[in-house]
């Protein structure tokens, strides 16, 4: 079953740690249980952002490679 995100942010081209900061701010504006769709680049963003999201207690429910980057679906804790 496809999960429909409640909000979406495109962070292609953003550098670490700005991409995580923007992800964290977007999650803070959401209700617990809502889903955030995050588009990030491969490389450092893909290595660092998912780890940081998990450390904050949120759940990554889907990771999909799209072109040169990735789409993450994150359920807010």
């Amino acid at each position: 079953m496809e999960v429909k995100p409640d909000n979406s942010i495109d962070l292609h081209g953003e550098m670490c740690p700005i991409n995580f900061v923007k992800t964290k701010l977007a999650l803070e504006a959401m209700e617990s249980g809502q889903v955030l769709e995050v588009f990030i680049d491969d490389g450092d963003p893909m290595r660092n952002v998912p780890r940081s999201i998990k450390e904050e207690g949120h759940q990554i429910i889907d990771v999909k490679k799209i072109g040169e980057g990735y789409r993450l679906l994150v359920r807010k804790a």
Side-chain angles (χ1 to χ4, degrees), residues 39-65:
F39 293 95
I40 58 173
D41 295 321
D42 199 358
D44 284 343
M46 189 55 201
R47 281 189 289 278
N48 297 328
V49 172
R51 183 183 70 234
S52 297
I53 288 169
K54 289 179 196 166
E55 286 172 359
E56 294 276 317
H58 307 295
Q59 178 187 13
I60 296 176
I61 54 176
D62 189 47
V63 177
K64 186 176 192 178
K65 180 144 178 62

Side-chain angles (χ1 to χ4, degrees), residues 5-10 30 35-39 71-74:
D6 297 288
N7 193 10
S8 180
I9 55 174
D10 185 348
M30 297 172 71
V35 175
L36 175 65
E37 178 181 54
V38 183
F39 293 95
R71 181 193 77 158
L72 308 177
L73 288 180
V74 181

